[in-house]
Amino acid sequence: MSDRRREGPGALLPSERPVRFLTDGGAPARGRPAYPEPSPELLRRAYRHMVVGRRFDTQATALTKQGRLAVYPSSKGQEACQVGAVLALEEGDWLFPTYRDSVALVTKGIEPVEVLSLLRGDAHCGYDPYRHQVAPQCTPLATQTIHAAGLAYAELRKGTGRIALVCVGDGATSEGDFHEALNFAAVFKAPVVFLVQNNQYAISVPLERQTAAPALAYKGVGYGVRSEQVDGNDAVAVLAVLSAAAEHARSGGGPFLVEAHTYRMEPHTNADDATRYREEKEAERWRRRDPVARLEAYLRRRGHLADEDVTAINAEAEEFAARVRAELNADPRLAPLGLFDHVYGTPTPQLAEQREVLEAELQAEEALR
């Protein structure tokens, strides 16, 4: 992939600086990255999904303030990472998302009301994971990394050619599960891509309080995992690196760890006050590296995006937001007895008794109506 890499352990090392194709303003960056540039068609698709995804994110944040969602962890500013993760996959590949990866799920084609079922408090997972090849959104940090490594290894044993891509935040790299998953995947050459969206804070804990490593990408080297770091607000670079990582895993090279340097523009959730732990001037620096604006500027510069294209995509995003509002304004149809489904393969006597009690209470309520 690049003549800068050495044989042996040196081949595992990430680039000394994050890979980037674009300047902060969207112009071509100096130097030629060691990765092929994605096609204009793929970049246009990415731009469309990023615009629609950001509008979805803004709408979900507003619905939280209106009481339609219990909580919403915004991913504004991380659109290049989430859209890039999905577009790097092929049909049949699996995605293992966190609670912050709702834009990735929307990009994958999952209905917004199904994406937001977890955050509305209706169900642990509102969509069929097997239908979409998307695991349930994971709230505990890093537990899904082990699931992704295990599924990828199973696909390897079956010879399907499918891979898994698992998303984590920077805080998850401090969890034991993350390191166990890296070790397992490396030993058994599981075809899994680990995408660390380093948005600089684990809730309120800054990166320098989490690790002394020069970059989170170096955490893969000790396990024998090929690693790279990328400018996570540069959609061109994210697509290029993740596509290469996916091909590495798919072709038998084993796992690949990618650290994307990005920034969470909004608070951790609607319950968080980000002003208590970060300064406005820091956020302003990252606003100048906005991933949507950078990609738009680049595509316009190359003649791949015109005013009418931008207008049409923005109109599509508004229509999508209107559909999200309409679906979330309708009260959900809940099945309380579903609480007992999928807890155990064979329900315990205690669980069966609890189900009978709830069923009797529901029947009594229905009789009084």
Side-chain angles (χ1 to χ4, degrees):
M1 186 181 300
S2 169
D3 57 7
R4 70 171 174 81
R5 297 189 181 276
R6 304 181 298 276
E7 295 296 326
L12 303 175
L13 290 170
S15 303
E16 292 184 6
R17 292 183 296 275
V19 175
R20 67 179 339 210
F21 279 73
L22 307 180
T23 65
D24 291 353
R30 291 183 179 180
R32 179 66 187 173
Y35 298 88
E37 181 172 340
S39 68
E41 292 76 16
L42 183 59
L43 293 178
R44 281 172 55 92
R45 283 182 60 202
Y47 175 75
R48 170 181 165 271
H49 283 299
M50 289 168 65
V51 171
V52 173
R54 174 164 293 186
R55 186 63 186 89
F56 164 81
D57 187 272
T58 303
Q59 185 61 70
T61 299
L63 289 169
T64 306
K65 296 177 181 178
Q66 296 166 11
R68 283 295 177 182
L69 296 178
V71 66
Y72 182 73
S74 172
S75 59
K76 183 179 180 181
Q78 299 179 221
E79 292 89 355
C81 299
Q82 302 210 2
V83 171
V86 173
L87 296 187
L89 299 176
E90 295 182 359
E91 185 176 357
D93 292 340
W94 275 80
L95 177 69
F96 285 76
T98 72
Y99 56 87
R100 196 177 300 283
D101 295 314
S102 295
V103 169
L105 271 61
V106 168
T107 303
K108 199 75 165 59
I110 301 177
E111 288 298 315
V113 69
E114 295 180 353
V115 173
L116 296 173
S117 289
L118 168 65
L119 302 170
R120 188 157 61 165
D122 296 344
H124 178 63
C125 183
Y127 52 88
D128 182 348
Y130 293 98
R131 175 187 172 193
H132 299 284
Q133 281 80 52
V134 178
Q137 286 182 276
C138 190
T139 302
L141 298 189
T143 56
Q144 80 277 20
T145 57
I146 294 178
H147 304 157
L151 182 140
Y153 180 57
E155 299 290 356
L156 177 66
R157 292 291 301 269
K158 291 188 291 186
T160 64
R162 296 174 178 174
I163 69 169
L165 187 149
V166 56
C167 298
V168 295
D170 47 293
T173 66
S174 299
E175 297 287 334
D177 288 355
F178 175 76
H179 297 271
E180 293 172 13
L182 282 175
N183 192 54
F184 176 93
V187 170
F188 294 102
K189 297 184 75 66
V192 56
V193 176
F194 296 85
L195 172 59
V196 179
Q197 296 181 67
N198 176 8
N199 64 17
Q200 312 304 314
Y201 290 93
I203 306 182
S204 60
V205 180
L207 184 65
E208 62 267 20
R209 296 289 300 277
Q210 299 181 60
T211 182
L216 295 175
Y218 285 88
K219 291 184 179 292
V221 177
Y223 297 103
V225 175
R226 177 76 174 275
S227 305
E228 186 58 281
Q229 57 177 329
V230 62
D231 181 342
N233 284 23
D234 178 348
V236 182
V238 170
L239 276 167
V241 170
L242 285 181
S243 296
E247 178 57 28
H248 172 90
R250 196 183 311 280
S251 62
F256 202 117
L257 171 65
V258 176
E259 176 191 6
H261 297 263
T262 185
Y263 197 75
R264 166 175 52 80
M265 298 305 303
E266 300 293 334
H268 176 70
T269 69
N270 56 297
D272 175 40
D273 180 6
T275 63
R276 297 179 63 183
Y277 54 85
R278 68 186 192 188
E279 298 181 359
E280 173 60 24
K281 61 182 181 181
E282 175 185 283
E284 180 57 34
R285 287 197 302 270
W286 281 92
R287 289 191 190 100
R288 293 194 290 270
R289 304 176 62 189
D290 183 282
V292 179
R294 286 171 79 180
L295 182 57
E296 179 178 330
Y298 181 70
L299 290 173
R300 284 180 178 273
R301 183 186 298 267
R302 289 297 178 91
H304 301 311
L305 195 67
D307 289 343
E308 54 268 27
D309 300 318
V310 174
T311 299
I313 292 172
N314 285 330
E316 179 188 353
E318 289 301 326
E319 291 177 4
F320 189 80
R323 183 156 67 88
V324 173
R325 288 195 301 273
E327 292 179 353
L328 269 294
N329 281 334
D331 290 332
R333 301 178 64 181
L334 304 178
L337 292 177
L339 288 169
F340 301 94
D341 296 338
H342 313 299
V343 180
Y344 295 104
T346 302
T348 64
Q350 294 86 350
L351 201 65
E353 180 180 356
Q354 293 171 18
R355 189 184 192 284
E356 291 174 1
V357 170
L358 177 58
E359 187 173 17
E361 291 179 356
L362 292 173
Q363 290 175 349
E365 288 183 4
E366 184 65 27
L368 293 176
R369 292 180 183 176

